[in-house]
Amino acid sequence: MFLGGAKIHKWKQWEEEIQKNNDAGNGPKKVLPMHQVSFIREHYKGIGKDSMTLSWLQSFVKQFYGSVAKSDYTAMRLGFIMTHCRGNPKFDFHRYMMRALESDFKKIVSTSWSLWMFVVIFLLLNVNGWHTYFWMAFLPLVLLLAVGTKLEHIIAQLAYDVAARQTAVEGDLVVKPSDEHFWFGQPRIVLHLIHFILFQNAFELSFFFWILMTYGFHSCFMDHVGFLVPRLVLGVVIQLLCSYSTLPLYAIVTQMGSYYKKEIFNEHVQQGVLGWAEKAKKKSGLRECNSTVESKHGDGPDAA
């Protein structure tokens, strides 16, 4: 969370610059500005324009460097505002994104029976000679690379869609958020995968240090050094890559779904809306109860 938050904090400068430009220009314009033209050029005119394989390969490589450029942030921010907050051109997208990430982080650090069931299976597969711990260390790495590639490819797909529609004219949206860009049309799948990746990686590292402190380095629970060192290196790499690249990518790309999150409202407004909903449910229940009582009285002997 610290590494991811540090990277996302850098985007605040972009948000402030955009806010200043909007104040000078009376809100975001619907005509595609130059920095969003560069957003299209960086993705649509890359090596993956005519080849799906090269497009995915480009997305795979891009997650390791400059995963989110300023043009990406600007285009996705404007697409979100024009879709969900058209009446509020000065909407603070960065603050909303941070609130949404903090909410999702509660899910990331939580545990569930399914995760612990996986741990039990993981321990039962620790058969002598199988080197289960070594091979299982690659599972979160493979999933992490797949998630990062998918998130980068969503950004590229947004650029492709804009270029295909030729939306550099007044009245059209820059990018169009949609659940269709995500696996099975479910943006939450990405969060569940990140949750599993970090849980599995944390278990790998903590289990190693628990064995080390409890039984010692030369215990039979420890694997050969040739298998042990790569496991530790993979664990550190996964933690750094997920924190500094994948988690920030998720924070912004997941906003490109069809629906906004409740964090779009501040805490005071959220409590007010929830309180209003509860009161509405209670009033609805009282009305149904009263109507039921009245109908019973109406059908009784007094009514006859």
Side-chain angles (χ1 to χ4, degrees):
M1 188 63 178
F2 174 77
L3 291 176
K7 185 170 184 178
I8 296 176
H9 183 72
K10 296 180 179 179
W11 301 348
K12 189 175 182 179
Q13 299 177 355
W14 300 343
E15 182 71 29
E16 293 174 351
E17 291 178 7
I18 296 172
Q19 294 285 357
K20 290 180 181 179
N21 294 334
N22 290 343
D23 291 338
N26 297 323
K29 298 179 180 179
K30 299 177 184 178
V31 181
L32 194 65
M34 184 58 66
H35 49 262
Q36 284 157 8
V37 172
S38 64
F39 164 70
I40 296 175
R41 288 175 178 174
E42 290 174 2
H43 296 279
Y44 187 68
K45 293 187 177 181
I47 60 175
K49 176 182 176 181
D50 301 318
S51 172
M52 184 62 66
T53 302
L54 292 179
S55 175
W56 280 98
L57 180 61
Q58 185 181 26
S59 300
F60 172 80
V61 175
K62 196 174 185 298
Q63 66 179 309
F64 299 107
Y65 70 94
S67 55
V68 178
K70 183 178 180 179
S71 58
D72 300 338
Y73 179 88
T74 306
M76 287 188 284
R77 175 190 180 276
L78 183 56
F80 179 89
I81 292 177
M82 298 299 290
T83 302
H84 303 298
C85 311
R86 185 181 291 268
N88 185 15
K90 295 183 179 181
F91 176 75
D92 194 332
F93 179 70
H94 184 271
R95 181 180 298 178
Y96 158 71
M97 187 173 57
M98 288 298 295
R99 286 202 300 262
L101 180 60
E102 290 173 359
S103 177
D104 290 338
F105 188 71
K106 297 176 182 178
K107 170 66 177 178
I108 292 176
V109 298
S110 65
T111 57
S112 63
W113 67 268
S114 58
L115 291 177
W116 287 116
M117 184 63 66
F118 177 83
V119 169
V120 172
I121 297 174
F122 179 81
L123 293 174
L124 292 176
L125 291 176
N126 184 27
V127 180
N128 184 31
W130 286 15
H131 306 292
T132 306
Y133 293 155
F134 174 76
W135 297 115
M136 290 299 291
F138 288 92
L139 178 60
L141 178 63
V142 172
L143 291 177
L144 182 64
L145 295 177
V147 169
T149 303
K150 177 60 177 179
L151 294 174
E152 285 289 353
H153 191 263
I154 289 175
I155 300 178
Q157 190 61 49
L158 291 171
Y160 296 166
D161 293 344
V162 170
R165 298 199 315 265
Q166 298 179 351
T167 53
V169 295
E170 187 174 4
D172 287 336
L173 301 179
V174 178
V175 296
K176 185 178 181 181
S178 174
D179 288 346
E180 295 179 359
H181 297 299
F182 296 86
W183 282 312
F184 306 105
Q186 297 291 333
R188 298 289 293 181
I189 292 179
V190 179
L191 178 63
H192 293 312
L193 288 175
I194 293 177
H195 183 199
F196 175 78
I197 290 167
L198 289 178
F199 178 87
Q200 170 63 15
N201 194 56
F203 173 76
E204 281 268 0
L205 295 176
S206 60
F207 186 75
F208 164 77
F209 285 108
W210 179 74
I211 292 295
L212 179 65
M213 298 299 296
T214 305
Y215 300 103
F217 185 80
H218 299 288
S219 169
C220 60
F221 287 101
M222 288 289 186
D223 211 334
H224 296 83
V225 177
F227 292 99
L228 184 61
V229 174
R231 278 176 50 201
L232 297 177
V233 173
L234 282 176
V236 175
V237 170
I238 291 170
Q239 194 69 35
L240 293 176
L241 180 61
C242 185
S243 302
Y244 199 70
S245 178
T246 310
L247 198 60
L249 258 178
Y250 165 80
I252 188 169
V253 176
T254 191
Q255 312 307 330
M256 294 298 101
S258 301
Y259 305 97
Y260 57 80
K261 301 179 181 179
K262 68 179 187 302
E263 285 74 23
I264 197 172
F265 308 107
N266 58 37
E267 294 180 359
H268 178 72
V269 175
Q270 286 184 40
Q271 293 175 358
V273 172
L274 292 175
W276 172 83
E278 289 295 331
K279 291 180 181 178
K281 288 181 180 179
K282 290 180 180 179
K283 290 182 179 179
S284 177
L286 288 175
R287 283 196 295 265
E288 292 180 359
C289 181
N290 291 334
S291 62
T292 302
V293 172
E294 291 176 358
S295 63
K296 288 183 178 179
H297 283 296
D299 296 335
D302 293 341

